[in-house]
Amino acid sequence: MVWPGGVGLHHFADIDSTNEEARRMAAAGARGPAWIYADTQSAGRGRRGRAWMSEPGNLFCTHLFAPQCPMPKAAEMSFVTALAVFDAVDATGIHGLALKWPNDLLVDGAKVSGILIESAPGPAGHRDEDPLLAIGIGINIARAPDDTPYPATSLSAHGMSVTPLALLTELATAFIARCAQWDRGAGFAAIRRDWLARARGVGGAITVRLHDRVIEGEFLSLDEDGALEIRAGDKIETISAGDVFFPDIAPREAK
């Protein structure tokens, strides 16, 4: 199936992972843009190798996409995609939405969506200076897991009823608009501004778990590259990767 604008749409009843399928497509020579979505996944994953619950009724999708920019700028797609997810879920009429750095979507403080962006290498021996990305997105529509380090929720728990395909359609439309705003990196200042306007906890207390330490302080802003800026004591910490928590939502151990 092809959507307007020549964007491909590939549906699977069951698959190991939509990100893996995007990578297989890229290895076979596909350049996208294309959306891949599945009813269930047997090996869905999130950031840091965590398993992603993949039961029917939720949205599991990946966008195979060439951002047409150098790889360092391609990292900004995390914020572009987060805003597109926000816009798509906001269109359902749900209240209490906020973004959690770098790209989680919360409803009333609980996680309802996550994003995993991976490179999608082309065929063996193929050299291409432009990165190709597998932008994986999971949105809890019908149900949410209860064994996550951060509290999770679903759209249905907040009275929202939407099919995965309908939500994907909203997401694809929002993604096109946010990519146009981003303009291959030239518009990242506007993306950064819009992300901060929707972010949870700016100006308040925040905790960030790194691989070797925990930082507690005040959430100041994002720097010009999208890194998290925190005032910890008399220092300003700039953080490029970590897990964020807020005082009213403590981390919990996975079961």
Side-chain angles (χ1 to χ4, degrees):
M1 178 177 176
V2 178
W3 278 354
V7 177
L9 178 64
H10 306 266
H11 171 247
F12 296 86
D14 181 57
I15 201 170
D16 52 354
S17 159
T18 57
N19 263 33
E20 284 304 310
E21 178 61 20
R23 289 165 62 86
R24 286 190 289 265
M25 289 171 59
R31 292 287 300 172
W35 286 95
I36 301 107
Y37 80 104
D39 299 336
T40 62
Q41 299 181 118
S42 59
R45 62 182 183 275
R47 291 174 60 239
R48 303 193 179 203
R50 295 171 181 143
W52 187 271
M53 187 192 77
S54 301
E55 298 180 14
N58 292 348
L59 176 60
F60 320 110
C61 64
T62 296
H63 193 37
L64 180 63
F65 180 69
Q68 299 181 320
C69 68
M71 184 56 84
K73 294 297 290 182
E76 297 172 358
M77 287 305 304
S78 176
F79 299 95
V80 175
T81 306
L83 284 169
V85 172
F86 185 106
D87 295 342
V89 175
D90 186 52
T92 69
I94 198 167
H95 300 289
L97 296 179
L99 293 170
K100 180 171 77 74
W101 186 85
N103 53 34
D104 288 346
L105 180 64
L106 309 179
V107 180
D108 291 341
K111 181 174 175 175
V112 75
S113 175
I115 296 167
L116 175 65
I117 300 180
E118 300 177 308
S119 63
H126 176 72
R127 297 185 64 183
D128 193 331
E129 298 302 321
D130 295 325
L132 188 60
L133 304 178
I135 303 174
I137 302 162
I139 303 177
N140 300 332
I141 298 176
R143 53 185 60 83
D146 59 5
D147 59 350
T148 56
Y150 197 92
T153 190
S154 64
L155 299 184
S156 66
H158 295 265
M160 295 295 108
S161 178
V162 63
T163 67
L165 182 56
L167 188 56
L168 176 56
T169 303
E170 289 284 355
L171 175 58
T173 301
F175 188 88
I176 290 171
R178 288 297 181 180
C179 277
Q181 180 187 28
W182 177 63
D183 191 19
R184 292 183 289 182
F188 184 64
I191 291 292
R192 174 182 173 275
R193 179 199 65 219
D194 285 359
W195 190 96
L196 283 167
R198 293 158 178 77
R200 178 184 172 100
V202 178
I206 192 172
T207 298
V208 183
R209 281 184 167 182
L210 308 180
H211 73 280
D212 59 348
R213 61 190 174 119
V214 174
I215 299 174
E216 296 181 345
E218 177 190 355
F219 180 6
L220 296 178
S221 187
L222 302 180
D223 73 5
E224 61 182 15
D225 296 318
L228 190 67
E229 293 183 328
I230 294 177
R231 178 181 288 113
D234 58 357
K235 294 176 57 181
I236 303 297
E237 298 269 7
T238 302
I239 300 166
S240 298
D243 289 327
V244 166
F245 299 92
F246 300 102
D248 58 331
I249 304 177
R252 63 192 188 190
E253 297 301 324
K255 295 178 182 177

